[in-house]
């Protein structure tokens, strides 16, 4: 499950994490956009649920300097030895440039360089290296983790997928349908049997299909107009279905862009329905090759009306 859950204060997540664990959820994964940072929720989870696996999906490679990212990852790996996976990725121009005042340039090269730096730094090595996108002078962690975390790379298209397969311990996928997994993993070929395949899956557990599609329509318009995701879905073959949305969005007509998104695309990319239907849909990702299907829970009218009891019941139903 992606944590923290919306609508629940971070300080109240001990009970939420306990309910998730009781329901059979084994992993807690964080994201980092404009809510919480990626590490604080996992640090709390490491204490509140000392058997859970933890992961970031993802920490941007532009918004922290190399040394700071290594120190932050090492601290969490020290708190949760052997239970933490560090997922990194390029993020987006909005998150990096507009919100963090950093320069979003050469995302592939920056991701590759940060991956290589982190591999050495988290192993306790002294790093004195001029990479293509940054230079590090004699950096060594004062407290290298006894168990260095696995490093996973967020990837969408062939170049980054191949980089993940050759240099990372796993790949993190996002905004794809279960039917897309085979095409994506066809590019991330590796002989490593322990190579992890993580996918963030948006789940809106309501039988009100109109509500789920309205929420999904807004999310798709916000995300799949970002250049990286636009090109990802063009590569996946969705240009015929999404081109009208892209055209309207580029023209500044947000209302027309929303209206142009076909229901079929929403139903592929946003898991919705009863908890049983949602579980079955998520299972299709696993059947296609995803080893760690990470639900990202979307709020529903039922949750808003039902409060904490409804959330606890839903968690139990989703985890059965």
């Amino acid at each position: 499950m992606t944590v923290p859950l919306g609508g629940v204060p971070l300080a109240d997540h001990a009970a939420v994490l306990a309910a998730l664990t009781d329901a059979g959820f084994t992993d807690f994964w964080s994201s980092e956009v404009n809510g919480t940072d990626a590490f604080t929720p996992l640090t709390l989870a490491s204490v509140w649920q000392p058997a859970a696996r933890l992961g970031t999906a993802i920490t941007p490679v532009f918004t922290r300097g190399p040394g700071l990212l290594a120190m932050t990852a090492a601290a969490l790996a020290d708190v949760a030895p052997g239970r933490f996976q560090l997922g990194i990725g390029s993020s987006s121009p909005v998150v990096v440039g507009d919100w963090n005042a950093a320069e979003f340039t050469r995302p592939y090269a920056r991701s590759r360089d940060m991956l290589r730096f982190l591999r050495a730094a988290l192993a306790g090595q002294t790093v004195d290296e001029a990479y293509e996108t940054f230079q590090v002078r004699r950096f060594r962690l004062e407290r290298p983790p006894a168990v260095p975390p696995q490093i996973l790379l967020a990837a969408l298209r062939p170049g980054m997928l191949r980089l993940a397969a050759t240099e990372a311990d796993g790949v993190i996928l996002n905004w794809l349908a279960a039917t897309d997994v085979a095409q994506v993993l066809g590019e991330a070929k590796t002989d490593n049997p322990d190579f992890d395949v993580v996918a963030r899956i948006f789940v809106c557990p309501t039988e009100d299909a109109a509500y789920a599609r309205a929420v999904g329509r807004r999310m798709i318009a916000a995300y799949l107009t970002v250049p990286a995701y636009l090109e990802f879905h063009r590569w996946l073959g969705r240009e015929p279905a999404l081109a009208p949305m892209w055209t309207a969005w580029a023209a500044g007509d947000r209302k027309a862009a929303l209206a142009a998104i076909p229901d079929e695309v929403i139903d592929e990319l946003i898991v919705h329905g009863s908890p049983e239907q949602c579980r079955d849909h998520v299972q299709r990702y696993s059947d296609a090759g995803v080893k760690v299907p990470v639900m990202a829970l979307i709020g529903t009218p039922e949750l808003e009306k039902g409060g904490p009891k409804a959330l606890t019941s839903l968690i139990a139903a989703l985890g059965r």
Side-chain angles (χ1 to χ4, degrees), residues 1-5 13 16-31 41-42 45-46 49-57 82-87 150 152 171-172 196-200 290-297 315 319:
M1 182 65 75
T2 300
V3 295
L5 299 187
H13 263 68
V16 172
L17 298 177
L20 287 165
T21 300
D22 290 343
F25 288 88
T26 58
D27 288 42
F28 302 130
W29 289 77
S30 63
S31 61
L42 300 187
S46 73
Q49 291 299 322
R53 287 203 330 164
L54 312 167
T56 60
R83 297 191 289 124
F84 168 53
Q85 293 176 293
L86 174 64
Q150 290 186 318
L152 280 59
V171 66
I172 297 174
D196 244 336
V197 179
V198 178
R200 295 190 69 235
V290 171
K291 294 183 179 180
V292 187
V294 181
M295 295 186 187
L297 194 61
I315 287 171

Side-chain angles (χ1 to χ4, degrees), residues 81-163:
R83 297 191 289 124
F84 168 53
Q85 293 176 293
L86 174 64
I88 61 172
S90 60
S91 191
S92 72
V94 170
V95 172
V96 173
D98 294 352
W99 297 348
N100 285 283
E103 190 174 353
F104 187 85
T105 56
R106 304 181 65 195
Y108 173 88
R110 175 78 177 198
S111 299
R112 179 202 61 211
D113 293 348
M114 190 67 83
L115 173 61
R116 292 174 178 175
F117 164 77
L118 289 169
R119 179 77 73 200
L122 291 169
Q125 299 175 20
T126 298
V127 183
D128 192 353
E129 184 80 29
Y131 300 93
E132 283 189 29
T133 57
F134 58 83
Q135 181 172 346
V136 175
R137 299 286 301 275
R138 298 197 58 76
F139 174 83
R140 187 177 186 279
L141 284 169
E142 181 180 319
R143 296 173 60 96
V147 182
Q150 290 186 318
I151 305 173
L152 280 59
L153 183 66
L156 297 175
R157 287 183 289 159
M160 201 76 87
L161 288 164
R162 289 192 290 267
L163 177 64

